[in-house]
Amino acid sequence: MFLNQQAVDLSIVFVAHQAQLRRTALRILRNPERAEDVVQDAYLKVTEAADVLNIKQPLAYLLQMVRNLAIDCHRRAAFEVGLFEREEEGLHVPALMGAPEATAISRQHLTLIAHALSELPERTRRVFELHRLDGHTHCAIASKLDISTSLVNILIHDAIDHCRAALRSN
Amino acid sequence: MTDSQREDTVWQTAVERIIRKHEWPLDDTAENELIAWLKNDPAHRAAYEEASHVWLLLVWFRTLKKNSHLLLFSRLPKIAVRAN
């Protein structure tokens, strides 16, 4: 109970100081989109942390977390630059891999997806979740559920096809 | 092949490529091959974009279900295909 209370407090502090946390990330990254991503990562960490410590200075703790994540992100970005340049050079058209706007997520689409997933047969949904959300390989899923790897692949395709149809019907 | 069969084949190929990329990071050869496939036909790109969109929504659906506070953010995350 006590620990839960702490967790709630931390997320409240987070939301209250969102702007300051974002500025902290922005100062390190100099890129508003990456800064936003870092702030969101930090938020996920705060909400998902299983062992919330007794944090005496929650804001200082959050600021340090955002700084650390921003520095990590900065290093990663430097590493990725090579990859992205190569992709963009190959494609010559805006709005695909290097342009996240192409896949901006709408709440409406999320609702449609939620509904589509609930319509899937149980086994299909299970296979799909193991693959997409839990990161299991085809082989691992096949042996876990005692089905063939080719059936695993078919069921994953079925799930994606069904979600696509749901989005298109809108 | 009719147009709709062709479209279906392109879609299935796009999905297959995304599944494979998710399961195992592409090496240089596979990455170049993907880029070549995307450049080959605008329909390939369109299918790949659509499949990526569905793919990404599926993860965010679960994340948001667990963390409804994320809806307070000014925008939902812009995740590119690289997130895979």
Side-chain angles (χ1 to χ4, degrees):
Chain A
M1 193 61 186
F2 175 70
L3 289 181
N4 284 343
Q5 197 59 48
Q6 285 290 325
V8 168
D9 287 348
L10 203 52
S11 75
I12 290 169
V13 172
F14 191 104
V15 171
H17 296 277
Q18 239 194 97
Q20 188 182 350
L21 295 166
R22 190 173 291 110
R23 279 197 303 275
T24 302
L26 191 57
R27 270 199 299 273
I28 294 167
L29 291 163
R30 315 249 167 223
N31 174 324
E33 285 174 14
R34 286 190 191 273
E36 178 76 12
D37 289 344
V38 159
V39 171
Q40 290 179 9
D41 278 355
Y43 186 79
L44 287 181
K45 275 193 195 299
V46 166
T47 55
E48 284 176 353
D51 50 344
V52 179
L53 307 164
N54 185 1
I55 296 158
K56 296 213 174 64
Q57 295 179 298
L59 181 57
Y61 173 84
L62 291 173
L63 283 167
Q64 192 55 49
M65 180 193 270
V66 165
R67 264 183 229 119
N68 292 347
L69 286 170
I71 290 166
D72 280 356
C73 177
H74 188 64
R75 290 195 187 119
R76 225 173 27 247
F79 172 75
E80 279 174 0
V81 163
L83 295 176
F84 277 94
E85 279 174 350
R86 204 162 61 90
E87 279 177 353
E88 278 157 10
E89 193 179 75
L91 294 166
H92 283 307
V93 195
L96 182 66
M97 295 160 138
E101 294 76 11
T103 51
I105 288 167
S106 79
R107 287 169 175 76
Q108 188 199 11
H109 279 183
L110 284 165
T111 311
L112 290 168
I113 286 280
H115 186 66
L117 284 175
S118 73
E119 289 172 340
L120 290 174
E122 181 55 33
R123 185 175 64 171
T124 310
R125 187 170 61 240
R126 179 101 182 99
V127 165
F128 188 66
E129 287 186 356
L130 285 170
H131 180 68
R132 180 61 181 112
L133 303 176
D134 299 326
H136 292 292
T137 62
H138 284 43
C139 284
I141 299 167
S143 81
K144 194 181 175 82
L145 302 183
D146 199 22
I147 55 179
S148 68
T149 50
S150 54
L151 181 56
V152 168
N153 194 252
I154 289 168
L155 295 177
I156 294 170
H157 273 269
D158 283 353
I160 296 174
D161 288 357
H162 184 67
C163 291
R164 178 211 202 190
L167 292 175
R168 284 193 156 195
S169 70
N170 184 248
Chain B
M1 240 196 306
T2 66
D3 280 356
S4 98
Q5 280 171 327
R6 192 170 301 115
E7 196 204 317
D8 190 56
T9 306
V10 170
W11 167 254
Q12 295 303 337
T13 308
V15 170
E16 192 57 35
R17 285 178 183 280
I18 283 168
I19 292 173
R20 257 188 274 154
K21 192 171 175 173
H22 174 67
E23 186 145 323
W24 198 256
L26 300 183
D27 60 21
D28 282 356
T29 315
E31 187 83 36
N32 288 333
E33 206 246 324
L34 172 62
I35 290 169
W37 184 78
L38 291 170
K39 282 173 75 177
N40 195 28
D41 186 337
H44 293 179
R45 274 191 60 145
Y48 195 81
E49 277 184 37
E50 190 181 357
S52 302
H53 183 63
V54 174
W55 192 245
L56 292 169
L57 278 174
L58 285 158
V59 161
W60 276 97
F61 162 67
R62 183 155 98 169
T63 306
L64 288 176
K65 211 162 68 167
K66 288 202 304 194
N67 302 283
S68 52
H69 275 94
L70 275 181
L71 294 172
L72 293 169
F73 286 102
S74 53
R75 63 166 176 79
L76 290 171
K78 291 175 171 182
I79 335 169
V81 180
R82 73 187 147 92
N84 287 313

